[in-house]
Amino acid sequence: MNNDLYDKRTITESGFDEQKSTVKEWSDSLARETGRAPSYFVRTFGCQQNDRDSELAAGIFEEMGFHPAVSPDVADVVLFNTCSVRANADNRFYGHLGNLKPIRKGGRPIIGVFGCMMEQEVHVDTIKQKFPYVDFILGAGDVRVLPYALVETLSDGTGKRKTLDLTTWHGLGDDTSLPVLRADPHRALVTIMTGCNNFCSYCIVPYTRGREISRAYEKILDEARRAVELGAKEIMLLGQNVNSYGNDLRKRGEVDAPTFAELLRDISHLDGLWVVRYMTSHPKDLSDELIAVISREPRVESHIHLPLQSGSDAILRRMNRRYDAAHYLDLVRKLRSCRNGITITTDLIVGFPSETEEDFQQTLHVMEEARFDAAFTFLYSPRVGTPAADWFDESQHEVVRERFMRLVEYQNECSLASNKALEGQVLDVLVDGKSRRDETILSGRTHDDRLVNFAGVLSGSSACQKSWPNEVFDSARIDRGDIVRVLIERANVNSLDGIQIL
Ligand code: SF4
């Protein structure tokens, strides 16, 4: 091994390639000896940024000669990608990790963990002490260290040595140079920036993912263009606060670095693309320039996710959100008038420390004004290491739970009313695949990001026929990534049911 390549806990691009080749040689020799290639299983917790990191990890495994396993118990390597945003994701992760103990024999499967939780000492220590059968730990999103971790683990071979802690290691290079195995070939997740500078008082992300770093405009455009050439109909641009894209570049002297609005506009012009989505927008940074792009560019989604969190100015101040309810509602008005039918979805936290009934009523008031088309609603969950965790008062649990039920009930009414308005309309739907609940149902998303279910069978399956009105179609022609027309027959709170028409 050339140690110059791994100096100062940094893996260069050539070091990364060398490590991948070493693991590939091991895979090839295993395949020669046993007649089977080694397999990997990646389990992802949390947000789409983690989904994206897992797609990169899968791409690296494939380049190293691995194939995907259907479950952890038949895999040679199991990799967990963790999330620290909410307590239930922590608990689910530890539950799944504990389930590996009975199946681990003779150092197999090799077990690795990475992601946001591994940026917190408390979790790293817990793993070392309570789950010593974990072979290696990597930091958040630094999948370039994966081949090195595997080389080190394979060179030991006993499965008995201490957990290899590589959380302070990182790799050099842009995502464009990494292999990727997309979970949905018709949808490309493209990271435009990592980290966050905002330090909302309840959020652990700036501590786990670090400060904002924007990728170069050309690299993002290049990645998106290649994805579209390979068949992607949808690009999802990812960042903790996409609206501040480029700020760090401009501060470093790249005065002409494009804004997020310019980046979004240019990506929407890629030939072959159906829709470009983006997540997440911070209300304090949502510019008129971006609203103008939403209004002018038809391939920019007819939807925006704009987290409100609370409608109380006092709570917003304690959350360190740096906008007030009036500013938020002003944005909602501009957005609703800039594009006919745009859907607005949001995140809401109930029970933030010190929230009173009056604060809560102010949240309901903003909801009444905004009429969100959908909302992700959360009970406040303290995250160790954030300022708000010190203010948490558990004794308020029952009061908060009752408020939460009221809020969910009201939002369900709004979501249903929003969906009901579409009954009888024909909508274009980008097909994602089979519904999880029913093999004969397909699901997909509209341009404004509504979930639509309709009867059908994917290509390659047996044909299924249905008629409406006086038309017969062969739904066996439908494939993932197709855009089909669906007549909406019934609205639900979180989805629409319909039938395909020609
Ligand atoms: S904007 Fe606030 S909530 Fe979002 S990632 Fe940054 S600190 Fe967390």
Side-chain angles (χ1 to χ4, degrees), residues 220-257:
I220 298 168
L221 207 62
D222 191 34
E223 184 180 341
R225 186 181 295 114
R226 275 198 283 156
V228 173
E229 283 166 5
L230 291 171
K233 301 274 179 53
E234 174 182 318
I235 299 282
M236 167 65 94
L237 302 177
L238 298 174
Q240 302 297 343
N241 175 15
V242 290
N243 298 334
S244 60
Y245 171 78
N247 288 353
D248 56 318
L249 301 176
R250 283 182 286 281
K251 268 187 206 143
R252 287 207 309 268
E254 292 183 39
V255 286
D256 295 330

Side-chain angles (χ1 to χ4, degrees), residues 352-370:
F352 186 80
S354 83
E355 181 190 80
T356 62
E357 178 60 24
E358 195 186 332
D359 293 317
F360 178 68
Q361 288 297 332
Q362 287 166 6
T363 298
L364 288 180
H365 174 70
V366 176
M367 291 172 74
E368 282 163 14
E369 295 281 310

Side-chain angles (χ1 to χ4, degrees), residues 196-200 202-206 240-241 282 309 321:
C196 182
N197 293 352
N198 290 309
F199 290 91
C200 300
Y202 53 84
C203 181
I204 196 72
V205 167
Q240 302 297 343
N241 175 15
H282 195 306
Q309 309 299 13
R321 292 290 289 174

Side-chain angles (χ1 to χ4, degrees), residues 292-365:
V293 166
I294 295 169
S295 131
R296 276 191 223 121
E297 301 295 343
R299 289 194 196 135
V300 172
E301 64 172 331
S302 270
H303 160 246
I304 186 165
H305 186 71
L306 194 62
L308 167 65
Q309 309 299 13
S310 170
S312 155
D313 290 346
I315 294 295
L316 287 170
R317 267 194 303 279
R318 292 205 95 197
M319 287 177 164
N320 193 31
R321 292 290 289 174
R322 288 179 276 167
Y323 55 85
D324 58 18
H327 174 75
Y328 187 94
L329 285 172
D330 196 37
L331 292 176
V332 168
R333 277 187 283 274
K334 285 183 185 173
L335 287 161
R336 292 241 187 255
S337 61
C338 90
R339 186 131 172 204
N340 200 14
I342 191 170
T343 54
I344 303 180
T345 58
T346 198
D347 293 337
L348 295 162
I349 297 174
V350 180
F352 186 80
S354 83
E355 181 190 80
T356 62
E357 178 60 24
E358 195 186 332
D359 293 317
F360 178 68
Q361 288 297 332
Q362 287 166 6
T363 298
L364 288 180
H365 174 70

Side-chain angles (χ1 to χ4, degrees), residues 15-88:
F16 173 66
D17 288 339
E18 184 185 290
Q19 295 298 316
K20 271 193 304 179
S21 302
T22 306
V23 181
K24 178 80 167 59
E25 281 165 26
W26 173 83
S27 300
D28 291 347
S29 100
L30 184 81
R32 278 194 301 277
E33 284 164 23
T34 64
R36 68 167 191 92
S39 60
Y40 69 95
F41 183 87
V42 182
R43 191 181 293 283
T44 311
F45 301 87
C47 65
Q48 286 174 310
Q49 184 61 58
N50 273 15
D51 288 338
R52 165 68 179 162
D53 292 337
S54 290
E55 288 184 348
L56 295 175
I60 294 169
F61 273 119
E62 301 272 334
E63 276 207 346
M64 296 188 299
F66 286 63
H67 68 87
V70 290
S71 61
D73 50 323
V74 293
D76 291 286
V77 180
V78 176
L79 187 65
F80 287 104
N81 189 356
T82 60
C83 168
S84 58
V85 171
R86 278 171 234 296
N88 66 349

Side-chain angles (χ1 to χ4, degrees), residues 104-163:
R104 166 113 159 162
K105 298 209 167 58
R108 292 293 184 277
I110 291 171
I111 301 170
V113 181
F114 78 123
C116 292
M117 281 174 74
M118 298 306 103
E119 295 293 336
Q120 293 177 282
E121 216 175 314
V122 59
H123 292 301
V124 172
D125 290 345
T126 300
I127 287 188
K128 288 177 181 169
Q129 284 157 23
K130 296 194 179 159
F131 303 91
Y133 49 89
V134 170
D135 293 288
F136 62 84
I137 305 173
L138 316 178
D142 222 337
V143 289
R144 285 175 185 78
V145 189
L146 176 62
Y148 177 74
L150 284 171
V151 169
E152 289 292 301
T153 306
L154 290 168
S155 67
D156 170 49
T158 65
K160 287 185 180 162
R161 80 171 184 190
K162 286 185 182 164
T163 302

